[in-house]
Amino acid sequence: MTTEVTASATADETTSRDAWEGFTKGPWTEDIDVRDFIQRNYTPYTGDASFLAGATDKTLRLWDTLEKNYLSEERKVRILDVDTHTPSDIDAFPAGYISEDDDVIVGLQTDSPLKRAMMPNGGWRMVEQAIKEAGKEVDPEVKKIFTRYRKTHNDAVFDIYTPRIRAARSSHIITGLPDAYGRGRIIGDYRRVALYGVDRLIELKQKAKDSVADQPFSEHWARYREEHAEQIKALKKLKNMAASYGFDISGPAKDAHEAVQWTYFAYLASVKSQDGAAMSIGRLSAFLDIYFERDLKAGIIDESRAQELIDNIVMKLRITRFLRTTDYDQIFSGDPYWATWSDAGFGEDGRPLVTKTSFRLLQTLRNLGPAPEPNITIFWNEDLPQGYKDFCALISITTSAIQYEADEQIREHWGDDAAIACCVSPMRVGKQMQFFGARVNAAKALLYAINGGRDEMTGKQVVTGLPGIEGDAPLDFDEVWDKYEKMLDWVVGTYVEALNIIHYCHDRYAYEAIEMALHDSEIVRTMGCGIAGLSIVADSLSAIKYAKVTPVRDETGLVVDYVTEGDFPIYGNDDDRADEIAATVVHTIMSKIKEQPFYRDAIPTQSVLTITSNVVYGKATGSFPSGHQKGTPFSPGANPENGMDTHGMVASMLSVGKLDYNDALDGISLTNTITPQGLGRTLEERVSNLVGILDAGFVPDDCAEV
């Protein structure tokens, strides 16, 4: 027995040594530390885009096959196909391919491109509805399993929900709760599979599990061991799935092709087993670039092959799909999955984390054409290499397919190996996860405060015990603010209670085993709370404070509209009077969130983000003192109210910059639209001016997503 273990260990060491040949050693060779590997081995690139290669013939043929045979057909029907018989799992489906040309980076979620899989652990009702909306028939045996024998996350949540949570949910003062689908906002460190191989990861997870074997029983002890057991099972399934495609991923990747393929297999396992609201892929460019640089120097690959590998992994990310309902699509304004790929920024040692692969990633938007996925997110800093900044601006102008985040703020709070989950949520890769929490309708809460908890759309009494504003006199700011704070106490308490229930049930019934297997055994958990309607609240409170606002009531005494006389400062125009109200609202809500107890001692954070759900929120909300009309869309995120910013893009960025990032550590979103012609007459002028706008907007005290 001892001989076998020694022989196995020696073989593993030999495999690792061959795979790591030429790499600078360090702590990463003794323990799981991908960041250390990157810092010791990556090559910053300060040049321009002149080295890049176009798409290979094989890439173009494969992309053309996808477009002609699958993507164009899907656009006609919304959902191309569904497997209604196989509950999805990491190794539930046989190997699938796009065509004979599909041999660069392989792997599909099911056995055919764009065929969607059921993930009923989250909740059967949503699965059944989505299947019927796709024009398919439900498999009665599968339905029986998940309605009679297997309790789902959704079942458990609604068993526990309190009457006030149900009331808040149905009235849409809280919307988008992940109580029937995967919560997302968890970024597995998919790089670990390439760097260490699955066998090493299994070995270390087993050691972690057994490290507490002699401790006395506790709920934490039992959950820790059970979760590690699930993680080990998931890693074994990952090996099985890769083997079905002809790959042995038990050991580390030995070259650039394997590094990309191993990393993609790890991500593929996650999207085969979870349908999270954001299934982000993390921070890959500097990591993969180390393998590219080694193979390029050795003459194993050329630039065309390096680009082909990146083009093909991005192609696979673009065809990720989940089985979801039309209601879900309305909440998120389409069918997004946020396979966010984060890039650039600076390391803590002052070196830019821009590599040639950072350029290759952007080049996919030219080789394959523009696309929303993967959501390419650049950590912007005015000190980034000029060639890279210019190329980012060029690609933004020609494709409108990049988002930008403030590098300094993210690095200060989350380190230099952080990545974005979804749109604005930063976390240390492999060391942190988020309990995703949708958001509360902060604007509707203001109307509830005025109406004493009655819903302005239905007249129903949703909140009791909190009297509203009486009489027809103009609204008094201090009185409204006092009632708004009391209403926020109720809303925030109800919201956090719902989140605690959701994540307790998710851990029990829809645990993300493979994603958590690619994390450290002890991690930081945050609770990602959020708010919607900030600009409407700020402008309405500003109107009440600086103008004359008279409520208009219906025959039942419900305030359904407002008459506003006089001018008032508008948020988003770099006017401190309105901007300070917005900042106070964000701070007040975050302060109330912090007062709540949180499941698994999660650290509460807050986002100002409604990029996709602003239409749905607006549809469920009435009219405001600001002039915002009943049923009309909210502005997205922390944006000024639609049409109310009159001082230009930089002024709106400066207003958003006054929101304290410490009150919104989950991120603050600002969405701007610029026509290319508005940036200058020539392409050179446009690139230069866009770079200047980004440099000006991302000042050290700012933390907006653009």
Side-chain angles (χ1 to χ4, degrees):
M1 184 174 179
T2 304
T3 302
E4 290 176 357
V5 172
T6 303
S8 174
T10 303
D12 289 343
E13 290 169 3
T14 301
T15 301
S16 298
R17 186 165 59 247
D18 294 340
W20 297 343
E21 183 178 353
F23 294 152
T24 300
K25 304 301 187 291
W28 65 270
T29 61
E30 304 300 325
D31 199 1
I32 304 297
D33 193 341
V34 179
R35 179 193 175 274
D36 181 65
F37 166 75
I38 293 170
Q39 289 295 315
R40 292 177 185 275
N41 288 282
Y42 87 99
T43 304
Y45 179 67
T46 58
D48 59 23
S50 59
F51 73 93
L52 288 168
T56 64
D57 290 341
K58 177 178 285 189
T59 295
L60 293 175
R61 286 197 306 272
L62 191 61
W63 187 240
D64 186 60
T65 298
L66 271 172
E67 174 57 35
K68 288 182 177 179
N69 297 348
Y70 299 99
L71 292 168
S72 62
E73 295 301 311
E74 182 186 54
R75 285 192 286 270
K76 299 174 185 176
V77 295
R78 180 176 169 265
I79 293 180
L80 185 63
D81 196 8
V82 180
D83 186 308
T84 61
H85 307 292
T86 312
S88 190
D89 200 355
I90 295 167
D91 57 355
F93 294 96
Y97 300 89
I98 298 169
S99 68
E100 292 183 356
D101 284 318
D102 188 8
D103 61 2
V104 179
I105 299 299
V106 300
L108 300 177
Q109 282 176 288
T110 59
D111 57 353
S112 179
L114 307 186
K115 180 190 286 187
R116 306 189 188 211
M118 299 180 294
M119 297 187 185
N121 288 339
W124 175 253
R125 285 179 295 174
M126 179 176 280
V127 169
E128 182 171 19
Q129 182 180 345
I131 289 173
K132 291 179 178 178
E133 289 174 352
K136 303 290 183 180
E137 295 293 328
V138 171
D139 185 325
E141 289 302 313
V142 176
K143 179 175 181 177
K144 181 189 294 185
I145 291 169
F146 286 94
T147 56
R148 292 181 60 181
Y149 305 123
R150 194 349 176 134
K151 189 171 186 176
T152 69
H153 163 234
N154 183 247
D155 292 332
V157 167
F158 277 84
D159 281 348
I160 303 174
Y161 267 172
T162 62
R164 71 173 187 169
I165 294 175
R166 288 173 178 263
R169 189 180 186 275
S170 62
S171 68
H172 306 290
I173 198 166
I174 303 173
T175 299
L177 291 169
D179 52 18
Y181 58 91
R183 55 191 168 192
R185 303 280 183 95
I186 301 173
I187 306 174
D189 191 353
Y190 305 113
R191 307 165 302 184
R192 295 184 181 193
V193 173
L195 185 57
Y196 297 106
V198 175
D199 283 356
R200 176 85 180 277
L201 301 179
I202 291 174
E203 175 192 356
L204 293 177
K205 286 296 180 181
Q206 186 64 51
K207 286 182 178 178
K209 178 187 176 186
D210 291 341
S211 68
V212 300
D214 296 330
Q215 293 183 12
F217 179 86
S218 67
E219 183 178 350
H220 172 76
W221 176 92
R223 181 169 55 193
Y224 183 89
R225 285 183 55 79
E226 183 182 26
E227 288 183 349
H228 277 73
E230 291 299 312
Q231 293 171 24
I232 292 167
K233 292 174 187 175
L235 289 167
K236 291 177 178 177
K237 290 179 182 179
L238 170 58
K239 285 180 63 175
N240 292 339
M241 184 264 287
S244 73
Y245 286 95
F247 289 92
D248 178 5
I249 63 173
S250 57
K254 296 185 287 295
D255 56 35
H257 174 230
E258 289 190 353
V260 178
Q261 182 66 73
W262 271 221
T263 302
Y264 174 65
F265 275 145
Y267 178 76
L268 182 61
S270 74
V271 296
K272 280 175 172 282
S273 56
Q274 287 289 330
D275 67 340
M279 300 295 287
S280 302
I281 199 167
R283 193 179 180 101
L284 304 183
S285 295
F287 173 77
L288 294 176
D289 194 76
I290 296 167
Y291 291 87
F292 286 136
E293 284 294 301
R294 186 178 65 171
D295 285 7
L296 285 164
K297 289 176 182 177
I300 297 172
I301 62 172
D302 58 13
E303 182 55 39
S304 180
R305 175 61 170 172
Q307 186 65 51
E308 183 178 58
L309 291 170
I310 296 299
D311 285 344
N312 276 261
I313 187 175
V314 166
M315 192 185 307
K316 291 298 168 64
L317 296 179
R318 288 190 180 190
I319 60 172
T320 299
R321 296 291 188 273
F322 296 104
L323 178 63
R324 289 168 177 163
T325 64
T326 54
D327 286 344
Y328 180 98
D329 288 358
Q330 289 177 3
I331 292 174
F332 293 100
S333 298
D335 188 17
Y337 46 95
W338 290 290
T340 305
W341 184 321
S342 303
D343 207 349
F346 275 81
E348 293 172 4
D349 62 0
R351 293 182 297 161
L353 281 161
V354 173
T355 64
K356 285 187 174 181
T357 299
S358 303
F359 282 79
R360 294 178 186 120
L361 175 63
L362 298 180
Q363 178 74 343
T364 66
L365 294 168
R366 298 203 291 193
N367 288 351
L368 302 177
E373 300 289 355
N375 181 347
I376 298 175
T377 297
I378 306 302
F379 290 178
W380 188 269
N381 189 306
E382 68 174 319
D383 294 326
L384 287 172
Q386 191 64 45
Y388 182 67
K389 290 166 61 176
D390 291 345
F391 192 55
C392 285
L394 174 65
I395 297 299
S396 284
I397 290 167
T398 56
T399 70
S400 298
I402 306 176
Q403 73 172 18
Y404 298 92
E405 308 262 355
D407 170 58
E408 288 190 33
Q409 288 283 17
I410 291 171
R411 179 164 26 90
E412 177 185 347
H413 289 86
W414 312 106
D416 60 9
D417 196 38
I420 298 297
C422 190
C423 301
V424 297
S425 303
M427 59 194 69
R428 297 176 188 265
V429 179
K431 299 181 179 300
Q432 181 181 338
M433 67 160 285
Q434 181 190 104
F435 291 141
F436 166 57
R439 52 201 63 86
V440 298
N441 190 333
K444 195 177 183 74
L446 178 63
L447 301 184
Y448 272 37
I450 293 170
N451 274 313
R454 288 182 69 193
D455 189 273
E456 76 285 355
M457 302 292 279
T458 66
K460 291 182 179 179
Q461 189 74 46
V462 177
V463 184
T464 59
L466 294 176
I469 303 291
E470 297 180 356
D472 297 322
L475 297 176
D476 176 74
F477 178 84
D478 291 333
E479 183 183 11
V480 170
W481 179 257
D482 178 67
K483 292 185 180 298
Y484 185 46
E485 278 216 70
K486 290 182 172 64
M487 184 58 63
L488 287 175
D489 287 333
W490 186 94
V491 172
V492 167
T494 304
Y495 176 43
V496 173
E497 184 177 65
L499 296 184
N500 286 333
I501 291 168
I502 287 167
H503 294 293
Y504 165 80
C505 294
H506 210 295
D507 277 350
R508 292 192 67 190
Y509 297 101
Y511 180 65
E512 300 91 341
I514 190 61
E515 293 166 86
M516 299 314 299
L518 301 174
H519 279 71
D520 292 352
S521 290
E522 296 287 354
I523 62 168
V524 172
R525 292 176 174 84
T526 60
M527 185 72 80
C529 305
I531 59 172
L534 175 63
S535 61
I536 300 173
V537 176
D539 290 349
S540 293
L541 289 171
S542 177
I544 294 168
K545 185 173 185 178
Y546 294 103
K548 178 182 177 183
V549 177
T550 305
V552 177
R553 301 180 185 273
D554 68 8
E555 62 278 5
T556 70
L558 182 72
V559 178
V560 293
D561 206 351
Y562 301 87
V563 175
T564 300
E565 302 172 83
D567 295 328
F568 55 93
I570 301 295
Y571 165 73
N573 293 286
D574 195 22
D575 187 319
D576 286 344
R577 294 172 297 170
D579 297 344
E580 286 174 4
I581 292 175
T584 299
V585 170
V586 174
H587 177 75
T588 298
I589 295 176
M590 189 63 223
S591 296
K592 294 180 184 300
I593 289 171
K594 288 179 178 179
E595 294 172 357
Q596 308 301 315
F598 285 91
Y599 171 63
R600 294 188 84 164
D601 298 321
I603 300 168
T605 60
Q606 179 176 218
S607 67
V608 187
L609 170 70
T610 51
I611 281 182
T612 55
S613 53
N614 47 303
V615 175
V616 173
Y617 274 109
K619 188 179 294 185
T621 308
S623 297
F624 286 85
S626 64
H628 185 96
Q629 292 300 300
K630 172 183 177 180
T632 57
F634 287 7
S635 61
N639 274 52
E641 175 69 334
N642 297 321
M644 301 288 275
D645 51 326
T646 59
H647 287 62
M649 178 176 171
V650 173
S652 68
M653 295 176 82
L654 292 173
S655 288
V656 172
K658 295 172 191 174
L659 305 179
D660 189 343
Y661 183 49
N662 291 300
D663 290 327
L665 287 172
D666 195 36
I668 304 169
S669 170
L670 172 65
T671 304
N672 277 309
T673 302
I674 311 172
T675 59
Q677 295 80 3
L679 289 168
R681 290 172 295 177
T682 68
L683 184 59
E684 184 178 1
E685 284 182 353
R686 293 169 185 171
V687 167
S688 176
N689 287 334
L690 181 54
V691 169
I693 289 171
L694 290 169
D695 283 345
F698 285 112
V699 293
D701 291 334
D702 188 16
C703 187
E705 170 217 36
V706 178

